[in-house]
Amino acid sequence: MHTIVCVKQVPDPEIPPAKFKIDPEAKKVIPPPGVPPVISVYDERAVEAACRLKDKHKGKITVISMGTGKVSDVVRHALSMGADEGFVLEDEAFENLDSFGTAYVLGKAIQKIGGYDLVLCGRQAADWGAGQVGSILAEMLGIPVITLACGIEVVEKNIRVKRIVKDGYEVLEAPMPSVVTVSSEIGLPRLPAGMSLMLARKKQIPVWKAKDIGADLSELDRTKAHTEITGLSVPTRKTECEIVTGNTPNEAAVNLALKLSKLI
Amino acid sequence: MDTHKGVLVCGEMAEGRLAPITIELLGIGRKLSDQLGETLSILLMGSKTGSLGQEAIAYGADKVYVAEDGLLDHYNSDAYTQVAANLCLKVLPSIMLLGHTDIGCDLAPRLNGRLGGGLSMDCLSLSIDPTTQLLLATRPVFGGNAHATVVSRSARPQMATIRPKIVPPAVRNESRQGEVIPVEDKLDPSAIKVKVVDRIKEEVEGVKLEDAEVVVSGGRGIGSAQNFGMLRELARVLGGAVGGTRPACDEGWVPASAQVGQSGKVVSPKLYIAVALSGAMSHIAGCLGSKYIVAINKDKEANIFNVAHFGIVADYKEVLPALTAKLKELLSA
Ligand SMILES: Cc1cc2nc3c(=O)[nH]c(=O)nc-3n(C[C@H](O)[C@H](O)[C@H](O)COP(=O)(O)OP(=O)(O)OC[C@H]3O[C@@H](n4cnc5c(N)ncnc54)[C@H](O)[C@@H]3O)c2cc1C
Ligand SMILES: Nc1ncnc2c1ncn2[C@@H]1O[C@H](COP(=O)(O)O)[C@@H](O)[C@H]1O
């Protein structure tokens, strides 16, 4: 079983909203100083899902990440969780791509790697969060896709996926290879430890450029982008909050109860 | 590109009726198509659509495309994508709208991938740029910390999924006229690769989160499943439901189905009591429609106090028992 996981590096989404800053002119987010970027939340869960499949069925996990800067950090994080091999996709031509451009580059890399049974993505990236790269990728690769997975199993030659819906879940089956997008309900990611942590430190992480994956640069022409961000703003919503007090928390609670009982 | 005209809504049905989100989409779709001076159509897919075509006309559609097939009885990604993509290739809509529901979240990006359109997911508002006539879609990015406006200059259709309960529903008008057009193309069953093996409905005890008048939500600060008992007790006294933040769900203190937020449920109760949660934008996205928000948090800087109407700055363990007891007394009086 060979699983390829697509992981993205994002600014830490857990910083308090007060520290979140943008440059509205450039339509860019200013990363908070001193806070290192992290692996996107759902992508870490996708790595976890891949590791669980490997625990059960053996095989291999390959991780790919497209980006600039120290993207190899997130690949290494995935390696330390239990992935076997990782590649970084970095090229000027890959910067500021829309979802189609991103899916195209990931698809080219996946085709170069080849011999895969399953491609895992997160349901949505924690930064721009377009929520569509996995599905577009599947359409480009011409293979089935199942979204919003909260559980993945292999049943004979098929992949069996629990997919979250409003009032429960569906159990779906697709032939391999398929793309599956993973949601947080799949469960918490493991902490890197032991052998894989050691191996991950030493592992070479090759960097592939456009020519290495045979990407056609005209596909990445940003003047033909499917979507463009024309505005960026920070929503302001500030409610006058009445802090209810008392001599003790107990008393504050009683005072709050008196107010609430009038509202409901 | 100007060969593409009109607004097409992708409808959803629930228990034999148009789903609430579909009526909302018809409302905003009508507005957009009137601004463009173009028609509003809707696609209904199912095994039987009955009189829902007429229903959609009463809610504002000029044309209703009805695709009936046993294979469309329940949502199936491959089947629905095939029907919707074929229709789009035929009617060439300029704008296509879907609900940001478990169906829309799956169907929209696939359709987009197949049609080569321009898609914005989870939109909070839509408008037409008066000079370019292009669709301007506003959506949350960075977990809701910012809002981005997205435009698709040349790719068609311009697609958007809209978050439920954000736009007002269309107003029904029995006297409206429109046309119901059956979709004749037969589905190709060989293209249906993903099979539905089972559908599991998870029964919730007590009031459903989405329908509750009062929601008591807890976050990471609650600390354990056992401590959530205090929130359950408060919810019981108020006849409400219990929700949680993602970390609370991750830890298994509350079921995953009780997650409130951008990637969970959107609730709009009269009263939302947020306990030991920081108020991340992606969480608040799920409860901003509440009439009153109450925050109990030991950190007075927590963002939740920026959206709350009432707050107590204290350890929740010292607040909840007294709050519950007093409310019980007041409400039984
Ligand atoms: C794309 C994306 C989608 C997301 N979707 C969602 C979503 O749908 N729903 C969601 O909830 N999150 C979502 N998140 C996660 C979100 O960003 C936050 O991580 C999460 O909401 C934080 O949960 P929390 O408030 O419980 O935890 P924390 O942020 O850790 O806050 C805990 C709070 O508890 C307080 N506290 C601790 N102990 C006590 C005590 N004894 N008494 C009183 N107060 C106490 C602390 O002061 C603190 O404010 C999403 C993130 C991303 C990137
Ligand atoms: N630059 C990238 N590198 C690797 N994977 C990515 C990248 N961008 C998106 N993905 C994958 O696609 C998923 C959905 O992204 P998006 O559609 O942008 O929200 C992510 O969770 C990742 O699994």
Side-chain angles (χ1 to χ4, degrees), chain B:
Chain B
M1 175 171 121
D2 16 3
T3 51
H4 289 72
K5 282 237 177 321
V7 178
L8 175 65
V9 165
C10 190
E12 281 184 40
M13 298 183 286
E15 282 136 29
R17 318 173 106 179
L18 293 178
I21 179 68
T22 299
I23 299 174
E24 293 162 18
L25 292 176
L26 285 170
I28 177 99
R30 188 70 260 170
K31 257 195 218 142
L32 298 175
S33 56
D34 284 347
Q35 269 171 43
L36 291 167
E38 295 174 4
T39 53
L40 174 66
S41 323
I42 179 170
L43 167 62
L44 293 178
M45 295 179 263
S47 57
K48 263 206 172 58
T49 57
S51 60
L52 292 184
Q54 283 309 323
E55 199 55 18
I57 292 169
Y59 280 113
D62 300 311
K63 285 184 189 169
V64 185
Y65 295 98
V66 175
E68 286 187 337
D69 194 310
L71 294 169
L72 298 172
D73 193 19
H74 282 284
Y75 180 69
N76 174 295
S77 185
D78 292 331
Y80 276 53
T81 305
Q82 194 187 132
V83 172
N86 285 344
L87 184 77
C88 282
L89 292 174
K90 216 175 259 170
V91 305
L92 302 176
S94 170
I95 293 175
M96 180 163 191
L97 307 178
L98 300 95
H100 196 72
T101 58
D102 48 60
I103 293 179
C105 283
D106 185 86
L107 183 57
R110 273 199 84 183
L111 264 180
N112 187 38
R114 198 163 290 187
L115 299 168
L119 167 65
S120 301
M121 299 279 282
D122 199 18
C123 294
L124 303 173
S125 73
L126 296 177
S127 60
I128 301 288
D129 183 320
T131 44
T132 59
Q133 301 285 86
L134 293 172
L135 180 71
L136 303 175
T138 303
R139 59 180 302 269
V141 293
F142 290 82
N145 281 314
H147 289 170
T149 306
V150 184
V151 165
S152 182
R153 291 202 193 282
S154 53
R156 291 293 175 273
Q158 307 167 81
M159 296 177 66
T161 68
I162 318 242
R163 185 181 287 181
K165 300 186 195 161
I166 285 282
V167 296
V171 179
R172 200 188 146 89
N173 175 355
E174 290 283 359
S175 66
R176 281 192 49 92
Q177 299 291 310
E179 197 186 346
V180 178
I181 306 160
V183 173
E184 303 289 358
D185 301 337
K186 279 277 144 268
L187 255 167
D188 171 13
S190 74
I192 301 178
K193 305 277 191 235
V194 179
K195 301 268 185 303
V196 181
V197 181
D198 212 347
R199 280 195 185 83
I200 312 289
K201 231 185 156 127
E202 281 176 337
E203 299 298 336
V204 284
E205 281 174 52
V207 200
K208 258 173 87 182
L209 196 57
E210 300 98 306
D211 305 334
E213 293 267 309
V214 177
V215 174
V216 184
S217 276
R220 180 155 27 212
I222 299 296
S224 72
Q226 202 191 346
N227 288 353
F228 251 91
M230 278 186 245
L231 281 75
R232 263 181 229 112
E233 182 56 20
L234 175 58
R236 205 182 53 79
V237 165
L238 296 172
V242 171
T245 63
R246 195 174 64 196
C249 296
D250 278 351
E251 296 292 344
W253 302 338
V254 273
S257 56
Q259 182 178 317
V260 173
Q262 186 188 325
S263 44
K265 301 245 152 72
V266 176
V267 299
S268 40
K270 255 202 203 130
L271 179 60
Y272 189 81
I273 306 182
V275 189
L277 60 84
S278 62
M281 297 307 277
S282 43
H283 177 76
I284 294 175
C287 66
L288 270 186
S290 312
K291 186 136 186 246
Y292 295 104
I293 297 177
V294 173
I296 301 169
N297 196 304
K298 65 179 184 189
D299 172 13
K300 68 176 189 340
E301 302 297 327
N303 190 54
I304 189 69
F305 289 115
N306 288 328
V307 295
H309 303 85
F310 298 99
I312 292 185
V313 183
D315 185 332
Y316 80 92
K317 292 194 210 89
E318 298 180 44
V319 174
L320 284 195
L323 179 64
T324 308
K326 188 68 187 176
L327 280 169
K328 197 169 176 179
E329 177 197 317
L330 291 167
L331 293 176
S332 61

Side-chain angles (χ1 to χ4, degrees), chain A residues 127 129 147 163 166 171 233 244, chain B residues 102 106 117 139 142 147 197 311:
Chain A
D127 52 0
T147 56
R163 173 177 187 267
K166 196 172 99 214
V171 182
S233 63
V244 181
Chain B
D102 48 60
D106 185 86
R139 59 180 302 269
F142 290 82
H147 289 170
V197 181

